[in-house]
Amino acid sequence: MSAPALPASPYLPCEAAVVERLDETRDIFTLRLRLTDPRRHAGYDFAPGQFNMLYLHGVGEVAISIVSDPEEGGTIDHTIRAVGRVTKGLAKLRPGDRLGLRGPYGSGWPLDATEGRDVLLVTGGLGCAPLVAVINYVVRRRERFGRLVIVQGVKHSADLIWRDRYEAWARLPDTRVLLAADQATPGWRWHVGLVTELLQDVDVDPAAATAMMCGPEAMMHAAARALLTRGFPAEHLWLSMERNMHCAVRHCGHCQFGADFVCADGPIFRYPTVERLLQVRGF
Amino acid sequence: MELDHAGFLPRERLDALIERLAAGGRRVVGPVARDGAVVMDTVHRAAELPRGTADTQAPGAYRLGRHDPASPAAERLFAWANGPQGLKPLLFAPQEPLWRSVRDESGSLRFEAVAPDAPAVAVLGARACDVAALALQDRHFLDGPFVDPHYAARRGQVLVVAVDCSHPADTCFCVSTGDGPSVSAGFDIALTELDDGYLVRAATAAGREVLADLSLEPVTAAHRAAADDQHHRACERQSRALPARNLRDALLDNLEHPRWDDVAARCLACGNCTSVCPSCFCHAEADTVSLDHASSEHTREWDSCFTQRHSQMHGYKVRPHIRQRYRQWLVHKLGTWHDQYGRSGCTGCGRCITWCPVGIDITVEATAICTDEGSP
């Protein structure tokens, strides 16, 4: 009795090398990676919103959103906040260092379906990488999209990262940047208050816009309600969910959100799919 | 029940079946009474099986005893309900390495898949609840877009010899889930234990091959009558039941039911229920690094949604309270499992009731949350 041929392991990473490391803030950094097998690197294809599992030798894996442009094959970029065991270790990597990478996993943002429409991006919290990928994508293909409105909220004005980038985006044609901080230091020339308060007077046509949201669940829920009140159709509201992930291939069970496995059915969801459970604390 | 039996095997000839199962180097795994429980281990002879053993199960209680020496059950080998294990540990290993990361002196990494330990195994004595749960695990690990190569390797090497349950425990409720007490699908060979031997039926080519030269005796009308009677008595013996309907909507409509607080006050969040559950599939991955840091084994082991770390993300826990974790388990098991795999994740084995140190009863909690009669 010989064992039948085994399916390839979906758990096995590929080797990747750090091409460049960028410091974004004190604890946020970007790793620009290249798969060391050139054939694999050339064949690597992803959509903004998808994520990779990054593996640090001897420490473990962590799910990280991809922030580079899918059509620029140079590097596969990840913006990471050093908060856990693996990410603190990843923060110590330098150009040339090796790590493991497998992916991409999950669903991407509906960018093809959004072409020709206005794009409203609502984010809360620190450096929302999944939406930065969208901003970069739209900015590089500016003519394919309508109005671009970026609404970003932070707890404290000092938490805002990439302030210069927001300033640069704000100067682009037909683009508006709205920032809000619950608490602000002197010199903050943006809104003081909740991000949802900004949504009341965002000048996009609800019938012609797609909204994409990323951040704390309570914020996304409140933002979605504000947009629904303004007449945005629910099917044009999208959001990125986050859960603990170990396997990223719907086996380990950690990322379950109701019937959905966030790793595979998400992380990008149409709002009505998750609306009900988004309101339940601890689900 | 009209079953297509291949024949009758007198009890004294059970060794012949075990020998046939072991042919070609298969490891035969069967029930053994050890350390006060029926556990699954390698068996070579029928004499090693738990003859005359009885189990008494209740919420938070499991005791082995003996059947009355004067009763026919005293000679039976499968006159007990189930032990803590079932089939799950044989296929979904409690802990196993998935791959290894090897770093050379230049700092390059090489990732090597670790071949799963997948010997050919015949499992003797699988219960209907566990055979049904095996089908659920198959759906989870094999039928999705990603196939688990470790589970797949072992699954392809296992021959399932089920035994209809004649002595359900007080904690059993497989009749209400539709999965037992007799097996109806998902086995290679199934036995019905009678006082003097076994009605034998095969459902696969591999099963028929094992039975081919066993010289089974013809099945008599008396055998059939005894098997029928036994099946009905096993059904009637079950006093517990889940509400006999899809509980998905009822659970999702009651996510803030006061009963969650009530059960959380009793639940210790120990995870015993998920360990003994034959369908729970959650697992965690972790690295074990060599002393010289040159290689690291990436291992997975069973995890439980009752632990805080199960929902942990960068210092934040989605489900910090036991109430939320018990709810996660029950709503998944009896509710959203329907969306994921087309049926409930519970096959009525009752182990989560027996092995719960405080005796929480899934049938009582589900009834309280999903039906009016259970309202506090």
Side-chain angles (χ1 to χ4, degrees), chain B residues 3-17:
Chain B
L3 294 170
D4 187 16
H5 290 112
F8 178 78
L9 183 72
R11 180 165 296 116
E12 61 273 17
R13 285 182 50 216
L14 192 62
D15 276 331
L17 173 64

Side-chain angles (χ1 to χ4, degrees), chain A residues 11 15 55 57 254 276 281, chain B residues 109 148 253 287 293 303:
Chain A
Y11 308 123
E15 189 196 41
Y55 170 75
H57 176 75
H254 292 90
R276 185 175 180 187
R281 221 177 137 71
Chain B
L109 299 180
D148 182 302
D253 287 344
D287 269 58
H293 207 247
D303 198 1

Side-chain angles (χ1 to χ4, degrees), chain B residues 362-375:
Chain B
I362 187 175
T363 65
V364 172
E365 301 310 322
T367 302
I369 290 158
C370 298
T371 68
D372 293 337
E373 60 185 288
S375 290

Side-chain angles (χ1 to χ4, degrees), chain B residues 64-315:
Chain B
L64 288 192
R66 310 288 309 167
H67 284 289
D68 177 354
S71 78
E75 290 306 309
R76 289 189 177 221
L77 309 180
F78 301 95
W80 40 271
N82 55 27
Q85 288 164 309
L87 294 171
K88 186 169 87 168
L90 295 168
L91 291 142
F92 171 32
Q95 185 185 53
E96 69 178 318
L98 298 176
W99 45 266
R100 190 179 295 116
S101 173
V102 182
R103 190 164 72 169
D104 69 16
E105 282 165 15
S106 75
S108 289
L109 299 180
R110 193 174 72 245
F111 298 103
E112 301 169 346
V114 177
D117 181 27
V121 170
V123 188
L124 175 61
R127 295 306 196 191
C129 49
D130 291 329
V131 172
L134 176 64
L136 290 175
Q137 294 246 307
D138 285 353
R139 265 179 245 178
H140 179 71
F141 287 113
L142 303 179
D143 293 353
F146 299 96
V147 173
D148 182 302
H150 298 254
Y151 183 91
R154 284 186 287 268
R155 186 67 179 94
Q157 293 280 78
V158 75
L159 188 97
V160 176
V161 184
V163 179
D164 293 332
C165 201
S166 55
H167 291 69
D170 287 346
T171 44
C172 291
F173 54 97
C174 63
V175 172
S176 71
T177 66
D179 295 303
S182 301
V183 279
S184 52
F187 58 87
D188 294 285
I189 296 170
L191 310 179
T192 307
E193 183 172 51
L194 301 178
D195 286 343
D196 50 353
Y198 302 88
L199 292 182
V200 184
R201 56 194 197 272
T204 63
R208 281 186 287 274
E209 193 187 319
V210 168
L211 301 185
D213 47 3
L214 263 185
S215 328
L216 296 173
E217 296 177 6
V219 176
T220 65
H223 288 143
R224 288 189 199 284
D228 266 4
D229 181 49
Q230 177 167 292
H231 171 80
H232 292 300
R233 271 186 292 126
C235 292
E236 283 161 14
R237 228 171 133 141
Q238 295 190 13
S239 56
R240 285 185 160 75
L242 278 175
R245 60 192 166 88
N246 181 336
L247 298 178
R248 178 195 181 277
D249 292 345
L251 286 165
L252 288 171
D253 287 344
N254 285 292
L255 295 177
E256 306 299 346
H257 197 288
R259 185 74 184 196
W260 300 118
D261 293 306
D262 183 88
V263 68
R266 288 172 280 137
C267 175
L268 308 177
C270 68
N272 266 17
C273 50
T274 57
S275 289
V276 294
C277 177
S279 69
C280 272
F281 53 69
C282 282
H283 54 271
E285 296 177 21
D287 269 58
T288 309
V289 67
S290 65
L291 277 178
D292 63 359
H293 207 247
S295 81
S296 184
E297 206 151 75
H298 191 74
T299 300
R300 75 167 165 206
E301 66 180 23
W302 290 359
D303 198 1
S304 171
C305 55
F306 282 87
T307 67
Q308 289 204 30
R309 69 167 188 183
H310 189 277
S311 69
Q312 176 147 348
M313 298 186 297
H314 44 74

